[in-house]
Amino acid sequence: MQDSIIKFFINIKRKFINVCKNIDNKYFTKYSIRKNVFISSIIFFSIAMFILNYLTPLLVDDYSFGYINGTETHIVSIKDIIYSMYNYYFTWGGRVWGEFYQQLFTLLGKPIFNVLNTIIYIVNTLLIYYACNEAKKAKVSLYIGINLLIWFFTPNYGQVMFWLSGSSNYLWLITPVLIMILIFRKYSINQDIIKNNLISAFIIFVLGILAGWANENASAGMLVILTLYIAYYYVNNISICRYIISGYIGSLIGFILLISAPGAYVRKAVEQSAVHTTIIFRLFMITYFWVAFVLGMFIILAIVLFIGKRYFDLKKNNSIYQSVIFVMASIGSAYGMIASPTSPERTWFCIVVYLSISIGILYEKIDFEVTDLEESTILMFRRIAVAVMLIAFCNFWVMYLDAIMSTYEVLNQTKAREQYILSEKLKGKLDISTVVISHKYPLLAHHDASYGLDDITPDPNYFSNKALCKYYGLNSIIGVPAKEKQYLN
């Protein structure tokens, strides 16, 4: 009886192994099917991101971008936006391209923003993917893994991805940064990737200016990467062509324009007067955030490095060194924020991106099709990979549904507030008290755009109160707890 039971389970195991081999032979190694799965994963994340963009209403600062900076004049054209950027540069900060996107999307309208913001998310994830992937074949697990790493580890994810103001300053501004990184990374592998002529040199010079003139810690981290790649070219006897030089010079010029903006000193003085923190305290807080936000990514990096070094060829194209480049950039981006009196959690987005590339460069070398490992070892790795991916996807779905419910709740409250304000205006009332939007739903995933943002307050002079007041053409507006108003159910 005992022998029969043992034979039964042995047969089950053999059948399972054969099924896995058949799946592997028919699907995982077949290029056309793998390419279709890759495209399907892009479509999946596009739909997922669009739904959350669609459900996210205007929040906080979003109500204030319809006017030329520092004036009461409505923005009605690109010319007005450029003038507003000029005012912003001299009165508040160097991040003028974030200001450009904020006001452009306000001019175009939220529905258009929802579509464009979804597209730029996909563009950025593909830029990260191609920065990691040296091979021409589609690697589905790498692309999905990049999306999941960004989803799980980006602090205040919704502020970066769905909030119009936050997305304009982080998701959109990292695009030229990633393009520059991709150019330098691909050049280390193939020096003929781009034609070395004056036109290429000029285009990449302009792109470098935009990348350096993005936002402070992302651009600083990019300069670390570009500098280390130039050192990499020198050590490996790779000739440095004109577009690499022009791109690097452009990036330096852009970064100088960013940090030397007259308005940046005005803003720094205001923030220092409001928040008194010492350099030692900021150093401690950055280290604390490092542990809280990205320690898990370092654990993943260590595991991938161990497996890659033990079983695969990580020496090819100096993958370990290139991975270290992005680790160094993440450290530089993080501790570069010590110069700022305040650093919102969403500023860690670029650090998560750089660490994702670092992990992806090593993970891309784990290729079962070109290894001489035994079939049993390969099968073991595939089982582990599938198990990890399933667990990660289950967590993603739970968090995603949580984000949808909490975002939908905020959307309903925002619509009800707007109806109330408009009805009060029809009665001739221009001094209004309205409900502070809050999460009645027990927020768990913290992935909706409103998480971590301040709504209006009882103080009519608070910045979000004044923004909402200006948007609706009111004299004043104050926020009160939900229990004091009953029009929201």
Side-chain angles (χ1 to χ4, degrees):
M1 180 69 178
Q2 186 176 359
D3 291 339
S4 299
I5 294 173
I6 292 172
K7 287 180 181 179
F8 173 77
F9 282 108
I10 289 174
N11 288 331
I12 291 292
K13 181 181 177 181
R14 285 174 180 169
K15 288 180 181 179
F16 177 74
I17 291 172
N18 289 331
V19 168
C20 290
K21 285 181 180 179
N22 288 333
I23 292 173
D24 183 57
N25 292 330
K26 289 181 180 179
Y27 300 102
F28 287 100
T29 59
K30 196 168 183 180
Y31 175 76
S32 59
I33 294 177
R34 185 164 52 193
K35 184 180 178 181
N36 289 335
V37 174
F38 182 78
I39 293 171
S40 298
S41 66
I42 294 174
I43 294 171
F44 167 80
F45 284 109
S46 299
I47 294 170
M49 293 299 107
F50 177 78
I51 290 171
L52 283 172
N53 271 292
Y54 175 80
L55 292 176
T56 301
L58 296 179
L59 298 166
V60 197
D61 299 35
D62 296 345
Y63 291 101
S64 63
F65 298 129
Y67 298 84
I68 295 175
N69 193 278
T71 74
E72 297 296 320
T73 306
H74 274 284
I75 288 175
V76 295
S77 66
I78 298 295
K79 182 180 177 181
D80 291 338
I81 296 176
I82 293 171
Y83 181 51
S84 184
M85 291 167 64
Y86 175 85
N87 287 351
Y88 182 88
Y89 189 77
F90 285 94
T91 60
W92 194 244
R95 207 183 298 170
V96 295
W97 297 109
E99 186 78 357
F100 172 79
Y101 288 125
Q102 288 167 169
Q103 297 187 321
L104 177 65
F105 296 140
T106 301
L107 184 63
L108 295 176
K110 186 66 167 57
I112 295 178
F113 167 78
N114 296 336
V115 175
L116 295 179
N117 202 50
T118 302
I119 292 171
I120 206 67
Y121 170 82
I122 296 300
V123 167
N124 284 338
T125 53
L126 287 173
L127 287 171
I128 295 168
Y129 169 82
Y130 286 113
C132 299
N133 192 14
E134 294 181 18
K136 292 183 179 180
K137 61 186 178 184
K139 195 154 190 174
V140 180
S141 61
L142 176 61
Y143 182 72
I144 293 174
I146 287 166
N147 282 271
L148 294 180
L149 283 172
I150 293 172
W151 172 270
F152 287 124
F153 290 102
T154 300
N156 288 338
Y157 183 92
Q159 290 184 27
V160 174
M161 302 298 173
F162 314 121
W163 179 33
L164 189 150
S165 177
S167 174
S168 297
N169 280 282
Y170 296 97
L171 183 63
W172 282 79
L173 292 190
I174 206 170
T175 307
V177 171
L178 289 172
I179 295 173
M180 282 301 298
I181 288 170
L182 181 62
I183 290 170
F184 274 65
R185 159 88 168 131
K186 292 300 183 183
Y187 187 78
S188 71
I189 301 165
N190 179 9
Q191 288 74 58
D192 297 321
I193 196 76
I194 297 174
K195 288 185 178 180
N196 184 23
N197 54 38
L198 288 175
I199 295 174
S200 298
F202 177 75
I203 292 172
I204 295 174
F205 173 74
V206 173
L207 180 63
I209 292 175
L210 294 176
W213 202 353
N215 67 44
E216 293 78 3
N217 61 331
S219 296
M222 178 198 68
L223 282 172
V224 171
I225 293 167
L226 303 192
T227 303
L228 290 175
Y229 263 115
I230 289 175
Y232 176 88
Y233 303 150
Y234 177 78
V235 170
N236 290 276
N237 297 317
I238 298 173
S239 60
I240 301 174
C241 70
R242 68 183 75 183
Y243 68 76
I244 290 292
I245 296 171
S246 68
Y248 187 75
I249 293 172
S251 299
L252 286 173
I253 292 172
F255 189 66
I256 291 169
L257 289 170
L258 174 67
I259 63 174
S260 64
Y265 299 98
V266 176
R267 180 174 184 171
K268 188 174 182 179
V270 171
E271 290 179 344
Q272 283 179 333
S273 64
V275 181
H276 300 283
T277 57
T278 64
I279 291 178
I280 299 297
F281 176 79
R282 279 176 252 160
L283 182 66
F284 170 79
M285 287 306 299
I286 289 170
T287 305
Y288 168 77
F289 285 147
W290 188 271
V291 174
F293 296 152
V294 296
L295 180 61
M297 297 191 78
F298 272 91
I299 293 172
I300 294 170
L301 179 64
I303 293 170
V304 174
L305 176 61
F306 172 78
I307 294 172
K309 200 171 180 181
R310 180 89 161 78
Y311 298 101
F312 300 91
D313 183 16
L314 289 185
K315 293 181 180 179
K316 187 178 180 182
N317 291 327
N318 295 306
S319 297
I320 294 178
Y321 177 82
Q322 296 212 29
S323 179
V324 169
I325 287 176
F326 290 92
V327 173
M328 296 298 292
S330 70
I331 294 171
S333 297
Y335 285 94
M337 290 187 287
I338 200 170
S340 175
T342 60
S343 53
E345 294 180 6
R346 57 182 174 266
T347 59
W348 284 73
F349 169 60
C350 73
I351 297 162
V352 171
V353 168
Y354 293 152
L355 287 175
S356 297
I357 297 174
S358 178
I359 293 168
I361 287 172
L362 298 180
Y363 178 77
E364 192 267 342
K365 288 290 173 290
I366 299 176
D367 191 344
F368 297 111
E369 295 176 31
V370 296
T371 184
D372 56 357
L373 293 175
E374 295 181 359
E375 286 190 10
S376 59
T377 305
I378 293 175
L379 186 60
M380 177 192 69
F381 278 124
R382 288 207 187 280
R383 288 173 182 172
I384 293 171
V386 170
V388 170
M389 197 64 71
L390 285 173
I391 292 169
F393 241 113
C394 287
N395 276 294
F396 168 81
W397 270 113
V398 171
M399 295 173 72
Y400 181 76
L401 293 174
D402 176 278
I404 282 184
M405 286 188 281
S406 56
T407 302
Y408 184 68
E409 179 190 36
V410 171
L411 176 65
N412 282 338
Q413 292 182 59
T414 302
K415 287 181 176 178
R417 171 192 280 179
E418 182 173 51
Q419 290 173 2
Y420 176 75
I421 290 173
L422 295 177
S423 67
E424 291 295 285
K425 281 188 70 177
L426 287 174
K427 298 174 186 176
K429 296 181 180 180
L430 297 179
D431 297 286
I432 293 175
S433 62
T434 185
V435 174
V436 174
I437 292 174
S438 59
H439 287 101
K440 299 174 185 177
Y441 169 78
L443 196 65
L444 300 174
H446 300 164
H447 271 55
D448 68 307
S450 60
Y451 174 74
L453 295 177
D454 293 326
D455 192 35
I456 56 174
T457 72
D459 179 8
N461 293 316
Y462 191 64
F463 79 96
S464 56
N465 293 54
K466 292 172 75 174
L468 197 66
C469 185
K470 194 173 182 179
Y471 183 83
Y472 286 108
L474 304 173
N475 292 332
S476 67
I477 189 167
I478 62 172
V480 294
K483 291 181 181 179
E484 296 182 23
K485 292 282 183 180
Q486 298 300 322
Y487 67 86
L488 289 180
N489 295 318

